[in-house]
Amino acid sequence: MPVWLALVFSVLIGALYAVQSRVNGELGHQIGDGFTAAVISFGSGLVILSLGLIVSQRGRRGLQLVARAVKAKYLSWWHLLGGLAGALFVLSQGLVAAPLGIALFTVAVVAGQTVSGVLMDRFGIGPGGRRTLHASKIVGALLALVAVGFTVSGELRGSDALWLLALPLIAGIGQGWQQAVNGQVRVTAQSALTATFLNFLTGSIALVLAALVHGLVVGFALELPGNPWLYTGGLIGCIFIAGAALVVRTTGVLMLGLCIVAGQLVCALALDLLAPTQGHPLGVTTIAGTALALVAVVIAAVRWRRPGRAHS
């Protein structure tokens, strides 16, 4: 895949992250139980992917290739646990996206993604192997953090729920690791469907167990909203998890994360324009921060060379 096309897809993946955060956050808010919302989101995605495996011979063959690779120790068993990070991300959406607002939720996730992307590329955990951290990538990552911080600076002042940022921050760190290991599984399986199915399988198991424990302690949510769009989080997750596994080998984990940042901010801007939420009006800082994040992606995507330096 050409690099420019992989970067475009990565930005679109980021937009889907923002849409899913809005959907799952609202579902958790209306149900009153983020654990149940997370199970619905991940569980519906698992059903969709299971149907895909039934009709896809390549996907089923991918499961065999992964099993052989793990048995031969070519692929480590922990590469199959990327779904745990995805489960934490979806759970954080259901628990804190609504009370924090998409902007505050996004800044915490983005901060975690950026740090994780640098570490994953530095230590070569992704399928593209170890990547050199050129100055442009570091500057781009730092500028992305500045952009999201500037975007939500007005909302951060005087907030009584800053401690809630810890969950999406940890979830964001997990996202970089998830993208790296899922990309490795996709390369081994030769199928994005297989990698995405395994991601949703492990994540669904973890979320069901967590929801059972939570339900036994505080009770189960029995009333579900009737709005059908609130149940599309699983489908959206299938698309962006498969897409990330497909492009991460070309982009690297850090560049994928930076493009996701841009996509999240642009989509958040569109959501605020087309479907604003109460208490989160669109402001000048949001528009300026979005533009700054896009500049950060451009800086990180270009390896600047000194004048007169020979091209390799």
Side-chain angles (χ1 to χ4, degrees), residues 176-202:
W177 179 75
Q178 179 191 30
Q179 292 155 5
V181 296
N182 283 352
Q184 187 65 56
V185 173
R186 188 204 68 80
V187 171
T188 302
Q190 301 175 19
S191 168
L193 174 61
T194 301
T196 311
F197 171 79
L198 291 173
N199 177 90
F200 271 76
L201 178 63
T202 56

Side-chain angles (χ1 to χ4, degrees), residues 24 28 85 109 125 155 179 202 206 221 234 242-243 270:
N24 287 344
V109 171
I125 296 178
E155 295 183 56
Q179 292 155 5
T202 56

Side-chain angles (χ1 to χ4, degrees), residues 103-104 107 143-157 264-266 268-270 272-273 279-294:
L104 279 174
V107 71
L143 190 58
L145 289 176
V146 171
V148 292
F150 176 73
T151 302
V152 299
S153 58
E155 295 183 56
L156 282 171
R157 288 196 301 268
Q264 285 173 316
L265 290 174
V266 170
L269 186 66
D272 283 342
L273 283 171
H280 299 282
L282 178 63
V284 176
T285 55
T286 302
I287 299 173
T290 301
L292 188 59
L294 293 176

Side-chain angles (χ1 to χ4, degrees), residues 15-280:
L16 291 177
Y17 270 79
V19 173
Q20 190 197 49
S21 294
R22 171 68 68 87
V23 170
N24 287 344
E26 185 63 25
L27 178 62
H29 175 68
Q30 292 197 21
I31 294 176
D33 184 355
F35 287 86
T36 300
V39 169
I40 291 174
S41 178
F42 240 73
S44 61
L46 181 61
V47 170
I48 294 171
L49 293 165
S50 299
L51 295 175
L53 278 181
I54 292 175
V55 300
S56 172
Q57 182 178 358
R58 184 174 183 180
R60 296 193 300 273
R61 180 174 176 270
L63 291 176
Q64 297 175 350
L65 292 175
V66 169
R68 293 172 187 170
V70 173
K71 185 177 181 180
K73 297 185 178 180
Y74 169 73
L75 192 69
S76 300
W77 61 269
W78 50 265
H79 280 99
L80 306 182
L81 301 181
L84 298 182
L88 180 60
F89 179 67
V90 172
L91 181 60
S92 68
Q93 290 174 332
L95 290 174
V96 302
L100 281 177
I102 297 302
L104 279 174
F105 179 85
T106 299
V107 71
V109 171
V110 163
Q113 287 172 333
T114 304
V115 172
S116 183
V118 172
L119 295 176
M120 295 305 108
D121 279 352
R122 177 65 179 84
F123 294 104
I125 296 178
R130 194 168 182 171
R131 294 170 181 262
T132 303
L133 292 179
H134 303 293
S136 58
K137 288 186 177 181
I138 297 175
V139 171
L142 292 175
L143 190 58
L145 289 176
V146 171
V148 292
F150 176 73
T151 302
V152 299
S153 58
E155 295 183 56
L156 282 171
R157 288 196 301 268
S159 174
D160 295 326
L162 292 181
W163 64 270
L164 293 175
L165 291 173
L167 185 56
L169 175 64
I170 296 171
I173 293 174
Q175 285 295 291
W177 179 75
Q178 179 191 30
Q179 292 155 5
V181 296
N182 283 352
Q184 187 65 56
V185 173
R186 188 204 68 80
V187 171
T188 302
Q190 301 175 19
S191 168
L193 174 61
T194 301
T196 311
F197 171 79
L198 291 173
N199 177 90
F200 271 76
L201 178 63
T202 56
S204 295
I205 293 173
L207 286 172
V208 168
L209 293 176
L212 285 175
V213 173
H214 180 263
L216 291 173
V217 174
V218 303
F220 294 93
L222 302 178
E223 295 185 9
L224 301 179
N227 194 333
W229 78 272
L230 295 176
Y231 301 97
T232 60
L235 175 60
I236 296 171
C238 290
I239 296 172
F240 72 63
I241 293 297
L246 185 65
V247 303
V248 68
R249 189 179 187 183
T250 302
T251 63
V253 180
L254 177 57
M255 269 311 305
L256 175 61
L258 289 172
C259 288
I260 286 175
V261 170
Q264 285 173 316
L265 290 174
V266 170
C267 187
L269 186 66
L271 287 173
D272 283 342
L273 283 171
L274 301 176
T277 55
Q278 186 175 3
H280 299 282

